[in-house]
Amino acid sequence: MASPPIHPSNSTGSHLSITAEELMHLRLVALGTKPPSLIIRGGQILSLHTGEILPRDVVVSGRHIAAVTPWNHFPTAIEEINAHRKFISPGFIDTHIHVEYTKLVPGELARLSVPRGTTTVLADASCIANVFGGKGMDFMGTNSPFRTRETSTPLRIFRQVSHKIPGNGPEIELGGTSVSTAELCERVSQSNAATLGESNPFSLDLASARKQAAALHAGKRITGHTALLENEPLWAYAAGGIGDDHNAHQPSDVIERVRLGMMLTVMSGSMNSNIESVFSDLPALRDSLGHFSFCADDKLVEDLDSEGHIDHHVREAIRLGVDKMKVYRMATLNAASYYRIDHLVGSITPVKLADLLVLDNLEDARPEAVVVNGKLVAQDNKPLFRNTDEIPAFTLNSIHIDPHFLNASSFQISPTAGKKQAWVQAMEMYDGYFKRAFHAQLSASDSGFLECDIVRDVLKVVVIDRHHATRHCGTGFVRGFGLQKGSIACTTNCENQNLVVVGTSDDEIAHAVREIVQLGGGFVAVCAGKLVGSVKLDVAGCMSSEPWEIVRDDSVACDDAVREILGGKLKSPFMIASFIGLVAVPDLGLTEMGLVDCKTQGLMNVVLSEEEVAITETTIETSRPIKICCRCPSHAHDVHRMMDSATAIV
């Protein structure tokens, strides 16, 4: 008589769950009546539930761990790995990443990160979703034993379903495409979804409530992005069911979020790293470390290669004095338990998927061998698999720019009629993607248009619609890049993946636009009529179809050109340029529709009239905000000296 089928389920990870046949065989292996497919012998396993390090063999049957036994309890297996004098850990878990910002397609990220020990990621495909909608999100998924589409590499990807596509309303952003609330609610209810993706903390509309309610109904967590909020705005955001945060880094902010029930996903990306700040005062964190996990968020291929992925977090946290077993829990079991995938991964216990790392020592966190689904997939930092994933044709040729923007005249800004100078609303980049609002006085050229102030590092920035070839273009001024000449451009403006250009003149900006059109998407650096650096991102304008090694080399060369030829001073200039547009991080953002006040989510003027200069704050009732001075309480930053022409930086 046939056994009854398992009832269909959309619980997180059910598409990876064990079958009755696998379970039957697993029990026989544990009984010793069937041979294991693999034994990892003679190692010291991390027993993360008890905090012990135990001398044990790990006995594997197919995809799963069958038993954890004393050394040499079972005499033979089909395959064996010698782990004598080595440690065995579960595979590392990244609890929040945008794969697109690595510049790699999922299969190439797998080739880079799996040998370094990161075997599972929770990924928000908001970048490609803003270009291609649902089919773009599907391309960024993971393989399972029962489906053959998406990546076939060993990297295990759970989805953080993008919260809103486009990220903002049509009054401040066109975006590339749209995905309905109904579709997003359906997607977050699927088994491959671990969370609803991060949302704009300043947007508390009905649509966001519907998606949050759908996620909670489906038993999913909700990824947070608290943007250093406090008091009522933070409480209101948390009341939407927000389950984690990767922005907080000061111990006082961290502990406040854990008190609200959030998982602190300690972020270390290419723009900034919160690791040292988070762990700077361990006593202040009290007994909260059980609610910590690790994430890369936005980390470039060159930094994943030079620093590492979650292995980097592990090394840094141990270096800062955090107990080793607690650190390994953060990288594995804490993450799996909180995101409700601990029945699959996160510990070396029976019936879990055999995702395992063999390590020479815990402090170094560099795996000698990596096992995924019970198969040896990497050894000595080299993958034992190939990336054979196909690039769908629909992901290519996504750059559509109106020819109007090939000319420098498209970006000219005039002062008030009859004036030779004007005060402008500007922003200063700091701590990665945060933006400090300020205003500065700029002079007009002989032709009557406002010029950048290279001496004071006030450069022009434009965001151009690259999806629909419209003439929508937002223009502003930004400080922090340090360019002495030329311009840089990228087609990865967060969140809508438009074209963003930071330059020292309108001519240089137009040149960068022309090079982007010729390249077909990616990063370019130009100077005096020459292309001095480029990275081709032909997949959706934000990822490369090339092997990760080529993308790394091109990226390093391009960054070197920005520093050595253009005089740039930022470590990751293109990624930081990408986040000028993010309106979910204070104080300002720039979209193809114009300059946005993050607090009111409304458009504002770039050039200020004499009457407007006297106004120093906006109100939520203002339909078109006028001016924002820096909202920081101390006013102790160098940029404040630029706000008064009598004490301006010269």
Side-chain angles (χ1 to χ4, degrees), residues 336-361:
S337 298
Y338 188 75
Y339 293 100
R340 296 167 177 155
I341 54 174
D342 56 318
H343 61 300
L344 299 170
V345 294
S347 65
I348 306 175
T349 51
V351 89
K352 304 303 184 295
L353 293 167
D355 294 359
L356 303 163
L357 313 180
V358 179
L359 304 153
D360 282 329
N361 65 76

mmCIF file of all heavy atoms in Angstrom, residues 336-361:
data_model
loop_
_atom_site.group_PDB
_atom_site.id
_atom_site.type_symbol
_atom_site.label_atom_id
_atom_site.label_comp_id
_atom_site.label_asym_id
_atom_site.label_seq_id
_atom_site.Cartn_x
_atom_site.Cartn_y
_atom_site.Cartn_z
ATOM 1 N N ALA A 336 20.069 30.817 11.514
ATOM 2 C CA ALA A 336 19.128 29.785 11.092
ATOM 3 C C ALA A 336 17.893 29.751 11.992
ATOM 4 O O ALA A 336 16.761 29.622 11.510
ATOM 5 C CB ALA A 336 19.820 28.426 11.100
ATOM 6 N N SER A 337 18.105 29.882 13.289
ATOM 7 C CA SER A 337 16.979 29.807 14.219
ATOM 8 C C SER A 337 16.032 30.980 14.036
ATOM 9 O O SER A 337 14.804 30.804 13.987
ATOM 10 C CB SER A 337 17.496 29.768 15.662
ATOM 11 O OG SER A 337 18.294 28.630 15.887
ATOM 12 N N TYR A 338 16.590 32.176 13.936
ATOM 13 C CA TYR A 338 15.726 33.347 13.864
ATOM 14 C C TYR A 338 14.931 33.378 12.561
ATOM 15 O O TYR A 338 13.734 33.739 12.553
ATOM 16 C CB TYR A 338 16.545 34.626 14.002
ATOM 17 C CG TYR A 338 15.663 35.844 14.122
ATOM 18 C CD1 TYR A 338 14.983 36.114 15.306
ATOM 19 C CD2 TYR A 338 15.483 36.705 13.048
ATOM 20 C CE1 TYR A 338 14.144 37.209 15.421
ATOM 21 C CE2 TYR A 338 14.644 37.806 13.155
ATOM 22 C CZ TYR A 338 13.979 38.055 14.340
ATOM 23 O OH TYR A 338 13.141 39.138 14.444
ATOM 24 N N TYR A 339 15.557 32.977 11.455
ATOM 25 C CA TYR A 339 14.876 33.046 10.170
ATOM 26 C C TYR A 339 14.140 31.751 9.819
ATOM 27 O O TYR A 339 13.727 31.556 8.686
ATOM 28 C CB TYR A 339 15.870 33.460 9.081
ATOM 29 C CG TYR A 339 16.340 34.875 9.290
ATOM 30 C CD1 TYR A 339 17.581 35.129 9.884
ATOM 31 C CD2 TYR A 339 15.536 35.961 8.975
ATOM 32 C CE1 TYR A 339 18.013 36.430 10.117
ATOM 33 C CE2 TYR A 339 15.953 37.253 9.216
ATOM 34 C CZ TYR A 339 17.192 37.486 9.789
ATOM 35 O OH TYR A 339 17.599 38.782 10.045
ATOM 36 N N ARG A 340 14.011 30.873 10.812
ATOM 37 C CA ARG A 340 13.163 29.684 10.724
ATOM 38 C C ARG A 340 13.609 28.723 9.637
ATOM 39 O O ARG A 340 12.802 28.116 8.935
ATOM 40 C CB ARG A 340 11.695 30.106 10.536
ATOM 41 C CG ARG A 340 11.181 30.871 11.755
ATOM 42 C CD ARG A 340 9.873 31.578 11.533
ATOM 43 N NE ARG A 340 9.441 32.222 12.790
ATOM 44 C CZ ARG A 340 8.628 33.274 12.857
ATOM 45 N NH1 ARG A 340 8.150 33.805 11.760
ATOM 46 N NH2 ARG A 340 8.297 33.790 14.016
ATOM 47 N N ILE A 341 14.935 28.578 9.522
ATOM 48 C CA ILE A 341 15.494 27.565 8.622
ATOM 49 C C ILE A 341 16.410 26.620 9.396
ATOM 50 O O ILE A 341 17.199 25.894 8.807
ATOM 51 C CB ILE A 341 16.255 28.217 7.449
ATOM 52 C CG1 ILE A 341 17.334 29.194 7.939
ATOM 53 C CG2 ILE A 341 15.291 28.920 6.494
ATOM 54 C CD1 ILE A 341 18.211 29.765 6.818
ATOM 55 N N ASP A 342 16.295 26.610 10.725
ATOM 56 C CA ASP A 342 17.159 25.767 11.553
ATOM 57 C C ASP A 342 16.798 24.298 11.464
ATOM 58 O O ASP A 342 17.546 23.449 11.956
ATOM 59 C CB ASP A 342 17.161 26.227 13.012
ATOM 60 C CG ASP A 342 15.785 26.293 13.613
ATOM 61 O OD1 ASP A 342 14.853 26.772 12.929
ATOM 62 O OD2 ASP A 342 15.618 25.874 14.771
ATOM 63 N N HIS A 343 15.654 23.966 10.823
ATOM 64 C CA HIS A 343 15.377 22.555 10.550
ATOM 65 C C HIS A 343 16.175 22.058 9.350
ATOM 66 O O HIS A 343 16.227 20.848 9.093
ATOM 67 C CB HIS A 343 13.874 22.354 10.289
ATOM 68 C CG HIS A 343 13.344 23.121 9.116
ATOM 69 N ND1 HIS A 343 13.408 24.488 9.037
ATOM 70 C CD2 HIS A 343 12.738 22.700 7.962
ATOM 71 C CE1 HIS A 343 12.861 24.895 7.897
ATOM 72 N NE2 HIS A 343 12.463 23.830 7.233
ATOM 73 N N LEU A 344 16.821 23.004 8.654
ATOM 74 C CA LEU A 344 17.600 22.669 7.462
ATOM 75 C C LEU A 344 19.098 22.859 7.671
ATOM 76 O O LEU A 344 19.899 22.012 7.277
ATOM 77 C CB LEU A 344 17.152 23.538 6.278
ATOM 78 C CG LEU A 344 15.708 23.409 5.819
ATOM 79 C CD1 LEU A 344 15.376 24.502 4.811
ATOM 80 C CD2 LEU A 344 15.455 22.032 5.215
ATOM 81 N N VAL A 345 19.485 24.001 8.234
ATOM 82 C CA VAL A 345 20.894 24.376 8.318
ATOM 83 C C VAL A 345 21.170 25.022 9.675
ATOM 84 O O VAL A 345 20.266 25.256 10.470
ATOM 85 C CB VAL A 345 21.280 25.364 7.189
ATOM 86 C CG1 VAL A 345 21.173 24.697 5.824
ATOM 87 C CG2 VAL A 345 20.404 26.615 7.235
ATOM 88 N N GLY A 346 22.444 25.288 9.934
ATOM 89 C CA GLY A 346 22.813 26.057 11.116
ATOM 90 C C GLY A 346 23.432 25.278 12.246
ATOM 91 O O GLY A 346 23.962 25.871 13.184
ATOM 92 N N SER A 347 23.393 23.937 12.187
ATOM 93 C CA SER A 347 23.992 23.152 13.266
ATOM 94 C C SER A 347 24.430 21.795 12.740
ATOM 95 O O SER A 347 23.973 21.338 11.693
ATOM 96 C CB SER A 347 23.014 22.965 14.430
ATOM 97 O OG SER A 347 21.890 22.176 14.033
ATOM 98 N N ILE A 348 25.323 21.159 13.491
ATOM 99 C CA ILE A 348 25.803 19.816 13.136
ATOM 100 C C ILE A 348 25.013 18.829 13.981
ATOM 101 O O ILE A 348 25.454 18.353 15.037
ATOM 102 C CB ILE A 348 27.318 19.689 13.374
ATOM 103 C CG1 ILE A 348 28.059 20.807 12.632
ATOM 104 C CG2 ILE A 348 27.823 18.328 12.898
ATOM 105 C CD1 ILE A 348 29.551 20.843 12.902
ATOM 106 N N THR A 349 23.829 18.548 13.520
ATOM 107 C CA THR A 349 22.906 17.666 14.241
ATOM 108 C C THR A 349 22.151 16.822 13.225
ATOM 109 O O THR A 349 22.060 17.192 12.047
ATOM 110 C CB THR A 349 21.911 18.483 15.091
ATOM 111 O OG1 THR A 349 21.291 19.484 14.271
ATOM 112 C CG2 THR A 349 22.608 19.163 16.260
ATOM 113 N N PRO A 350 21.596 15.698 13.665
ATOM 114 C CA PRO A 350 20.912 14.796 12.730
ATOM 115 C C PRO A 350 19.783 15.466 11.963
ATOM 116 O O PRO A 350 19.107 16.358 12.471
ATOM 117 C CB PRO A 350 20.385 13.682 13.636
ATOM 118 C CG PRO A 350 21.302 13.692 14.803
ATOM 119 C CD PRO A 350 21.670 15.129 15.017
ATOM 120 N N VAL A 351 19.616 15.023 10.734
ATOM 121 C CA VAL A 351 18.595 15.382 9.754
ATOM 122 C C VAL A 351 18.815 16.761 9.120
ATOM 123 O O VAL A 351 18.098 17.131 8.209
ATOM 124 C CB VAL A 351 17.154 15.251 10.315
ATOM 125 C CG1 VAL A 351 16.651 16.511 10.982
ATOM 126 C CG2 VAL A 351 16.182 14.787 9.225
ATOM 127 N N LYS A 352 19.820 17.495 9.590
ATOM 128 C CA LYS A 352 20.135 18.767 8.935
ATOM 129 C C LYS A 352 20.855 18.496 7.614
ATOM 130 O O LYS A 352 21.536 17.475 7.448
ATOM 131 C CB LYS A 352 21.029 19.648 9.826
ATOM 132 C CG LYS A 352 20.466 19.931 11.204
ATOM 133 C CD LYS A 352 19.107 20.587 11.166
ATOM 134 C CE LYS A 352 18.608 20.950 12.551
ATOM 135 N NZ LYS A 352 18.364 19.780 13.425
ATOM 136 N N LEU A 353 20.722 19.416 6.691
ATOM 137 C CA LEU A 353 21.487 19.339 5.457
ATOM 138 C C LEU A 353 22.979 19.390 5.792
ATOM 139 O O LEU A 353 23.404 20.174 6.640
ATOM 140 C CB LEU A 353 21.108 20.484 4.527
ATOM 141 C CG LEU A 353 19.673 20.415 3.970
ATOM 142 C CD1 LEU A 353 19.297 21.743 3.322
ATOM 143 C CD2 LEU A 353 19.528 19.272 2.965
ATOM 144 N N ALA A 354 23.744 18.575 5.118
ATOM 145 C CA ALA A 354 25.176 18.458 5.426
ATOM 146 C C ALA A 354 25.943 19.574 4.737
ATOM 147 O O ALA A 354 26.629 19.376 3.726
ATOM 148 C CB ALA A 354 25.689 17.088 5.009
ATOM 149 N N ASP A 355 25.804 20.791 5.291
ATOM 150 C CA ASP A 355 26.583 21.958 4.870
ATOM 151 C C ASP A 355 27.625 22.199 5.945
ATOM 152 O O ASP A 355 27.308 22.721 7.029
ATOM 153 C CB ASP A 355 25.686 23.195 4.715
ATOM 154 C CG ASP A 355 24.670 23.063 3.596
ATOM 155 O OD1 ASP A 355 24.658 22.030 2.903
ATOM 156 O OD2 ASP A 355 23.877 24.007 3.423
ATOM 157 N N LEU A 356 28.870 21.842 5.681
ATOM 158 C CA LEU A 356 29.882 21.747 6.727
ATOM 159 C C LEU A 356 31.210 22.339 6.275
ATOM 160 O O LEU A 356 31.574 22.269 5.095
ATOM 161 C CB LEU A 356 30.092 20.271 7.098
ATOM 162 C CG LEU A 356 28.836 19.514 7.556
ATOM 163 C CD1 LEU A 356 29.054 18.016 7.487
ATOM 164 C CD2 LEU A 356 28.452 19.943 8.958
ATOM 165 N N LEU A 357 31.930 22.909 7.233
ATOM 166 C CA LEU A 357 33.247 23.472 6.990
ATOM 167 C C LEU A 357 34.280 22.729 7.827
ATOM 168 O O LEU A 357 34.055 22.473 9.012
ATOM 169 C CB LEU A 357 33.280 24.956 7.365
ATOM 170 C CG LEU A 357 32.136 25.844 6.876
ATOM 171 C CD1 LEU A 357 32.348 27.276 7.354
ATOM 172 C CD2 LEU A 357 32.006 25.784 5.363
ATOM 173 N N VAL A 358 35.409 22.410 7.220
ATOM 174 C CA VAL A 358 36.537 21.839 7.946
ATOM 175 C C VAL A 358 37.594 22.929 8.058
ATOM 176 O O VAL A 358 38.093 23.438 7.041
ATOM 177 C CB VAL A 358 37.106 20.602 7.219
ATOM 178 C CG1 VAL A 358 38.292 20.042 7.986
ATOM 179 C CG2 VAL A 358 36.016 19.538 7.064
ATOM 180 N N LEU A 359 37.944 23.306 9.300
ATOM 181 C CA LEU A 359 38.788 24.465 9.567
ATOM 182 C C LEU A 359 40.044 24.062 10.318
ATOM 183 O O LEU A 359 39.980 23.253 11.252
ATOM 184 C CB LEU A 359 38.019 25.491 10.409
ATOM 185 C CG LEU A 359 36.684 25.988 9.846
ATOM 186 C CD1 LEU A 359 35.763 26.413 10.976
ATOM 187 C CD2 LEU A 359 36.918 27.148 8.899
ATOM 188 N N ASP A 360 41.169 24.661 9.942
ATOM 189 C CA ASP A 360 42.403 24.419 10.681
ATOM 190 C C ASP A 360 42.342 25.013 12.081
ATOM 191 O O ASP A 360 42.826 24.407 13.046
ATOM 192 C CB ASP A 360 43.599 25.005 9.924
ATOM 193 C CG ASP A 360 44.030 24.132 8.762
ATOM 194 O OD1 ASP A 360 43.874 22.906 8.853
ATOM 195 O OD2 ASP A 360 44.501 24.681 7.752
ATOM 196 N N ASN A 361 41.796 26.236 12.184
ATOM 197 C CA ASN A 361 41.611 26.843 13.495
ATOM 198 C C ASN A 361 40.422 27.787 13.444
ATOM 199 O O ASN A 361 40.035 28.258 12.366
ATOM 200 C CB ASN A 361 42.878 27.565 13.972
ATOM 201 C CG ASN A 361 43.236 28.743 13.103
ATOM 202 O OD1 ASN A 361 42.621 29.802 13.186
ATOM 203 N ND2 ASN A 361 44.243 28.574 12.244
#
